[in-house]
Amino acid sequence: MKTPIYLDYAATTPVDDRVAAAMVECLTTSGNFGNPASRSHQFGWEAEEAVETARANVAALINADPREIVWTSGATESDNLAIKGVAYFNQKKGKHVITSKIEHKAVLDTCRQLERDGFEVTYLDPDEYGIVSPEKVAKAIREDTTVVSIMHVNNELGSLNDLAAIGKICNEKSVRFHVDAAQSAGKVEIDVEAMHIDLLSLSAHKIYGPKGMGALFVRRKPRVRLEAQIHGGGHERGMRSGTLPTHQIVGMGEAFRLAKEDMGKDLEHVVALRKRLLDGLSSIEETKLNGHESQNYPGIINISFAYVEGESLLMALKDMAVSSGSACTSASLEPSYVLRALGLDDELAHSSIRFSIGRFTTEEEIDYVISKVENAVERLRELSPLWDMFKEGIDLSTVEWAAH
Amino acid sequence: MAYTEKVIDHYENPRNVGKLDDSSENVGTGMVGAPACGDVMRLQIQVDDEGVIQDAKFKTYGCGSAIASSSLLTEWVKGRSLDDAEAIKNTEIAAELALPPVKIHCSVLAEDAIKAAVRDLRAKRERTSELETEGKAE
């Protein structure tokens, strides 16, 4: 077993060897290096063909038409293009946007920018498990609402929203429905038709493809119109200019083709490892699983180890790559905004660790992680004055702290 | 974030972890920070009759730098008078551990902890001597 053990698949994934092999074919003189936009020679035609094959593979994974796929530099750009694009295009109709408090920063910060530009944004509260209720979306929709943006799987919690129900509501009220599917594409089923999705952001590097590559699904029937955010040569039907990076696109296409082929197997693997991890850690007292127990993508496991601060725990787990909702990992001193939005105590938010597992995680690695975490939590609780107080029966919420 | 060797050493081998008898009049306790902020330090000192710190113990809930700051502090205060202990500055702790700017608050917390422990001890002793004086008056 190789250390450090990688358990941060929600941050990024390694490129699958099969994907890397396909990408390498599109770079050098002996390969498919042409500009897909060159219409006058074979180099261009071959590159275009590779790009279109990839487009079909991406479309197939989400039950879309290849003509509905727009290449971007990643899910962040897709989120920007979808939300700003639709909001600006429809601003004569209305200037109201709906999203949730636990969206990725790519969505939240884009909404902040719209607010600076005179738009009004409603940020819905998720429930305590990180699920946005379709009823809340329905209630928030107004005459002047033009777009609703809700993520599929939350990156910190793994909680999974009921897209079909939200999509149906948006469809009935003729409001555009955008979904950030960076964490879910290729891992759980997505059907843009059945779920009434108008725009869907995709990322390659979360599903064993390359970084710097993404796509936006833009519905054609009925046509979703949006204002381009990057102007230039009119690539991607004018929605996103810029020379297409053939090797990146081919990588994403191959990653998505493999994801469709292996989805059942990948999911089964992740479900089994999640169970193994949770069973193994169940001997530790005073832990809390954050997120939803069943309505989730099982590859993301977020646990609070009460009375142990997250960053100190990360320090003890130095031979594994995990992340923490602790403020100490950022300069702001604020713990994870996602965990806070669930109504979790700040103390528990500071004490949280996210394990995210994937295609290449092994049982041996999980067993190793379990024993390391058990030891670290025990050792740090021995060091924790809060653990002492808890053991003495003191209710920490009644203590008056000298906050700083 | 990369930690300095000194922080890692204190984190992996914390000095003077534990608890002193808070009911003893020779023991002062300083508890600073808040769980919501991600760090709580409990620092305890025990003095002899001359007011020299004989023993110090700590427990800390917090990041590695917070643990290291408090562990280092327990080493430093032993053998010092209360005045000397109180004079320890957070900048000395930060410099010794080479804390990065985002971790300076950990050293501030440690300074607060020793000040609070000394204050607690002095308050205890004042109460005791008042009681003694009252007793003599009768």
Side-chain angles (χ1 to χ4, degrees), chain A residues 307-309 311-313 315-316 318 327-331 333 335 346-347 350-351 379-386 388-389 392 396 401-404, chain B residues 1 3 7-8 11-14 17 19 31-42 58-65 67 102-103 105 109 112:
Chain A
Y307 317 113
V308 173
E309 197 277 327
E311 191 188 331
S312 64
L313 189 50
M315 229 173 135
K318 58 180 185 292
C328 266
T329 52
S330 71
L333 293 186
D346 278 1
E347 194 264 322
H350 281 294
S351 302
R379 189 175 91 80
L380 289 166
R381 280 181 175 167
E382 282 303 306
L383 262 181
S384 167
L386 304 182
D388 270 2
M389 293 166 81
E392 284 162 17
L396 294 181
W401 301 98
H404 58 289
Chain B
M1 183 180 309
Y3 296 94
V7 170
I8 292 171
Y11 169 78
E12 284 180 351
N13 313 293
V17 176
K19 207 176 172 186
M31 175 104 105
V32 294
C37 304
D39 30 34
V40 176
M41 276 180 199
R42 187 183 66 207
F58 86 98
K59 283 204 181 188
T60 291
Y61 161 86
C63 65
S65 303
I67 291 170
V102 296
K103 297 294 185 187
H105 71 274
L109 204 60
D112 290 349

Side-chain angles (χ1 to χ4, degrees), chain B residues 123-137:
Chain B
K124 252 188 200 173
R125 297 193 131 191
E126 262 168 42
R127 275 198 302 276
T128 318
S129 64
E130 273 168 21
L131 287 175
E132 276 172 9
T133 329
E134 278 169 24
K136 276 175 197 160

Side-chain angles (χ1 to χ4, degrees), chain A residues 87 193 217 342 370 388 391:
Chain A
E193 287 306 316
F217 156 79
L342 307 190
I370 292 165
D388 270 2
K391 284 287 166 185

Side-chain angles (χ1 to χ4, degrees), chain A residues 227-244:
Chain A
E227 221 172 72
Q229 301 298 308
I230 293 181
H231 303 92
H235 306 74
E236 299 299 279
R237 295 176 306 289
M239 283 188 266
R240 204 284 192 178
S241 289
T243 295
L244 296 177

Side-chain angles (χ1 to χ4, degrees), chain A residues 1 61 89 141 143 161 192 223 226 317 326 347 376-377:
Chain A
M1 193 181 61
L61 184 73
F89 190 90
I141 294 177
E143 274 296 296
N161 281 311
V192 292
R223 182 183 289 278
L226 44 81
L317 305 178
S326 159
E347 194 264 322
V377 169

Side-chain angles (χ1 to χ4, degrees), chain A residues 322-341:
Chain A
V322 294
S323 69
S324 167
S326 159
C328 266
T329 52
S330 71
S332 68
L333 293 186
E334 294 279 306
S336 150
Y337 68 93
V338 173
L339 295 175
R340 296 185 102 190

